[in-house]
Amino acid sequence: MAITGRARLAHDVWNGVALPVESQAIPRSRPLSINEMKAATVYLFDEANRQNLGVFEELFSEDFVSYGGAGFQDLYGAAAFRNLYEQFLAAMPDLTFRVDNIIAEGNMLGVRGTLSGTHKDNFMGFAPPTGKFVSWTGTAILRFNNQGLIDERLQEWDGLQVMQQMGVIPTPPGGNGSLPEPVPPHVVGGRYTSPLENKALVRRFLDEVWNK
């Protein structure tokens, strides 16, 4: 059955291909609403994909910190983050980030996406150019301050997938090093649970499966 109307909009917002109707302009100097944070995040990646790297100075606060993941060091300030991004672009000039999922609550936002680009130059000093088109997933949690700017970023990315596709480490038998297209969430029957119920369920899962 085709998805139409508000259901289509909700589906597209979830998958990062549309913005909630209420947020077209992104204000500054005040806390942002949930939809405004989503709009600011989509704008951030859209501009970075256009290689307008001034967007980092535009959206990051003066005390911005990006906490490293998958071996990266912590970065302080928009200039340091921009420098890291430029290193990625030097190796993959057509680098893009596709927003796959985005969710927010309070002043925190989580975004998951797929990064991809053509490996045309040495990557971070350990992967000579292969000419291959590579793709991998990454997840970031952004915190927005009271001026509507991003002051904290916590990220994880699939560095193993990158190194396998660039030939730095071998791909496991039967693996081809490529990523499947993300499948939109689908609910079969049942009921939608509240955010509080979802949190309780995840905490229970972590406690009982991992801790016990």
Side-chain angles (χ1 to χ4, degrees):
M1 182 175 66
I3 303 174
T4 59
R6 293 179 62 84
R8 164 57 66 184
L9 177 61
H11 177 274
D12 289 347
V13 168
W14 170 264
N15 286 284
V17 297
L19 294 178
V21 174
E22 78 174 51
S23 60
Q24 300 303 322
I26 305 170
R28 293 291 172 262
S29 75
R30 67 164 174 79
L32 302 186
S33 69
I34 296 296
N35 286 341
E36 288 168 343
M37 289 192 301
K38 292 179 180 180
T41 302
V42 172
Y43 171 75
L44 170 69
F45 290 116
D46 281 348
E47 291 303 302
N49 288 341
R50 296 184 181 100
Q51 299 190 16
N52 170 24
L53 303 191
V55 72
F56 301 135
E57 283 83 2
E58 179 184 349
L59 295 188
F60 293 170
S61 67
E62 292 184 359
D63 56 351
F64 169 79
V65 182
S66 177
Y67 294 101
F72 281 111
Q73 64 182 5
D74 296 345
L75 301 173
Y76 298 88
F81 187 83
R82 177 172 179 158
N83 178 261
L84 175 65
Y85 203 89
E86 288 172 340
Q87 293 180 56
F88 273 78
L89 284 176
M92 292 171 281
D94 57 347
L95 177 68
T96 60
F97 182 96
R98 183 188 69 203
V99 175
D100 294 325
N101 305 114
I102 187 167
I103 188 169
E105 181 180 24
N107 68 337
M108 305 289 288
L109 179 144
V111 57
R112 178 183 181 275
T114 302
L115 298 96
S116 59
T118 308
H119 183 205
K120 292 187 174 182
D121 206 339
N122 196 299
F123 180 68
M124 299 295 174
F126 65 78
T130 62
K132 295 180 179 179
F133 183 79
V134 299
S135 62
W136 68 98
T137 57
T139 301
I141 298 175
L142 308 177
R143 186 179 70 181
F144 288 76
N145 65 16
N146 288 333
Q147 286 72 50
L149 298 173
I150 300 168
D151 64 3
E152 183 176 281
R153 174 181 178 272
L154 301 97
Q155 64 94 30
E156 289 292 343
W157 66 294
D158 192 355
L160 178 63
Q161 182 75 226
V162 174
M163 290 187 285
Q164 288 176 339
Q165 292 180 70
M166 292 183 175
V168 178
I169 60 176
T171 301
N176 59 13
S178 62
L179 294 173
E181 285 294 310
V183 178
H186 179 64
V187 177
V188 180
R191 68 179 182 87
Y192 285 99
T193 52
S194 70
L196 287 178
E197 289 174 307
N198 294 338
K199 291 178 185 178
L201 182 63
V202 171
R203 289 192 179 103
R204 179 186 172 194
F205 171 79
L206 294 175
D207 187 45
E208 295 191 15
V209 175
W210 289 106
N211 299 333
K212 295 179 182 178

